[in-house]
Amino acid sequence: MAFLENCWYAAAWDEEIGEAPLARRLLDKPVVLFRAADGRAAALADRCIHRQAPLSHGRIEERGLRCGYHGLLFAQDGTCIEVPGQTSVPPGARVASYPVVERDRFVWIWLGDPARADAASVPDYHWNDDPGWRSVQGRFHVAGGWRLIVDNLLDLSHVQFVHGATLGTDRVADFPVEVSRDGDRVHVDRWIMGGKPPGMFARAGGIDYDVDRWQLITWTPPSHVVIDAGCAPAGRGAREGNRAGGIELYSNHTITPETETSAHYFWHHARGFNLDDESITAYLAQAAETTFAEDVGLIEAQQRSIETMPAGLPRVDINADAGVLAAHRVLDRLISEEA
């Protein structure tokens, strides 16, 4: 099983961690997330050291998390600080704890070597907290491999065929992608020049004219994807930076492996126009949820197909895979170096 461990992953939306412990499997590790009395989020291995009951079946108290089986109490750092029925705690009684950072409405977790956890390297999703943007968000539990989800986000030629009602138009796949590298980041850019806007843009932006469109994707390993997507009046130089008269959306995604064949898929959709129009907010929330659910359904079917595929069956790559293959090379190298 190949995961990159020494990096930050989204464990939850901040609003998911409330009055009860939250159980979540991340990188095939059972994790319990909770808030201590001071309001800070904490993450521990979800397995009591006594009889291995899940700590997520316990309760949150002022001093920490109490196991729901025999009542051992664990502090935020995983140290056992109380054992009911005895005055002392066995030496070395503790469960693994994981570094956690709350930023941009995400709760980020580091599941690798804690000494290497640097809060400065948390991925940038500032759109969620930036007053100049309005975002909607969600999470899918996907019965499909995390790398399949990343592949889907790096090759947007599929929008023409999968998302016809929201993001697709007839000519998307006819325009080639431009792939570049910035260190370990991969950029996949596509410009779709001239033509009708997709349904989501037409309705959200009130656009009824021909447009030049852009899909500018940045992938940061292992699984963080930012997509600058929008359109502006055709022929006015959007590619040279003139986006006046158009709309700009950031479709942002981060995927956290659950197991080798399942994942947590966090998404948020941010816009920089008509911020106070609640009807647009509601429409984009519904449209984004519908669009990404279409991806999830296809990825889950793809996973089932892969699992039943005969051994030795060849796979063919096409031109649109250029960004996908570039990301694969980076990710395979990083995983190999970590191992």
Side-chain angles (χ1 to χ4, degrees):
M1 197 175 297
F3 303 128
L4 195 64
E5 293 198 346
N6 288 307
C7 55
W8 293 102
Y9 287 97
W13 290 108
D14 56 5
E15 63 189 26
E16 292 186 276
I17 305 178
E19 297 180 355
L22 175 67
R24 194 148 280 174
R25 182 167 287 274
L26 308 170
L27 275 63
D28 213 27
K29 298 178 180 181
V31 174
V32 58
L33 299 149
F34 66 100
R35 292 193 184 279
D38 61 6
R40 289 185 300 157
L44 303 177
D46 192 14
R47 186 180 288 117
C48 184
I49 56 172
H50 174 226
R51 287 295 182 266
Q52 290 70 56
L55 291 174
S56 55
H57 288 206
R59 65 175 185 263
I60 302 170
E61 299 185 359
E62 184 174 356
R63 294 192 296 153
L65 182 59
R66 189 176 295 277
C67 178
Y69 193 13
H70 295 100
L72 279 70
L73 182 63
F74 296 89
Q76 276 182 288
D77 66 356
T79 302
C80 181
I81 55 177
E82 181 185 309
V83 179
Q86 60 189 68
T87 58
S88 62
V89 175
R94 63 180 301 120
V95 296
S97 64
Y98 303 105
V100 166
V101 172
E102 289 196 63
R103 189 170 299 165
D104 303 328
R105 292 162 57 190
F106 285 113
V107 178
W108 298 96
I109 190 169
W110 185 281
L111 294 156
D113 179 359
R116 297 180 60 181
D118 178 8
S121 64
V122 169
D124 177 18
Y125 287 104
H126 68 274
W127 298 269
N128 272 340
D129 276 337
D130 191 323
W133 295 84
R134 183 70 183 273
S135 66
V136 294
Q137 67 187 50
R139 180 184 68 88
F140 290 101
H141 178 261
V142 184
W146 65 284
R147 293 182 70 155
L148 297 180
I149 305 173
V150 173
D151 289 357
N152 174 77
L153 293 166
L154 284 171
D155 176 13
L156 295 183
S157 61
H158 74 272
V159 302
Q160 177 175 339
F161 308 100
V162 181
H163 308 307
T166 52
L167 294 176
T169 54
D170 289 343
R171 301 171 59 214
V172 172
D174 294 337
F175 291 85
V177 295
E178 302 168 8
V179 178
S180 61
R181 287 269 305 274
D182 172 18
D184 286 335
R185 292 185 177 184
V186 173
H187 301 277
V188 183
D189 297 347
R190 174 184 269 120
W191 285 87
I192 305 158
M193 310 304 287
K196 299 299 181 184
M200 183 185 293
F201 291 177
R203 180 169 173 181
I207 298 173
D208 59 0
Y209 44 80
D210 284 356
V211 297
D212 293 336
R213 292 178 59 192
W214 59 89
Q215 299 169 341
L216 311 180
I217 308 168
T218 299
W219 170 79
T220 302
S223 54
H224 313 303
V225 179
V226 171
I227 305 175
D228 173 4
C231 62
R236 292 192 186 174
R239 187 162 188 166
E240 289 72 41
N242 181 15
R243 298 184 177 186
I247 62 170
E248 185 177 31
L249 299 170
Y250 274 84
S251 180
N252 298 329
H253 313 257
T254 182
I255 298 93
T256 301
E258 180 185 57
T259 67
E260 190 173 13
T261 57
S262 61
H264 304 282
Y265 176 9
F266 298 87
W267 63 268
H268 68 97
H269 217 58
R271 75 178 191 275
F273 59 93
N274 296 337
L275 302 185
D276 298 326
D277 191 329
E278 293 299 330
S279 66
I280 293 179
T281 301
Y283 167 69
L284 287 176
Q286 180 273 327
E289 180 86 13
T290 298
T291 299
F292 302 142
E294 291 171 340
D295 287 323
V296 169
L298 193 57
I299 289 164
E300 291 181 337
Q302 182 185 10
Q303 180 66 53
R304 293 191 296 270
S305 178
I306 290 170
E307 291 171 356
T308 59
M309 184 172 67
L313 194 68
R315 188 185 76 172
V316 176
D317 295 317
I318 61 176
N319 289 344
D321 293 320
V324 172
L325 297 175
H328 281 191
R329 288 190 291 270
V330 172
L331 189 54
D332 289 344
R333 173 179 57 79
L334 292 174
I335 291 173
S336 177
E337 289 173 355
E338 185 173 274

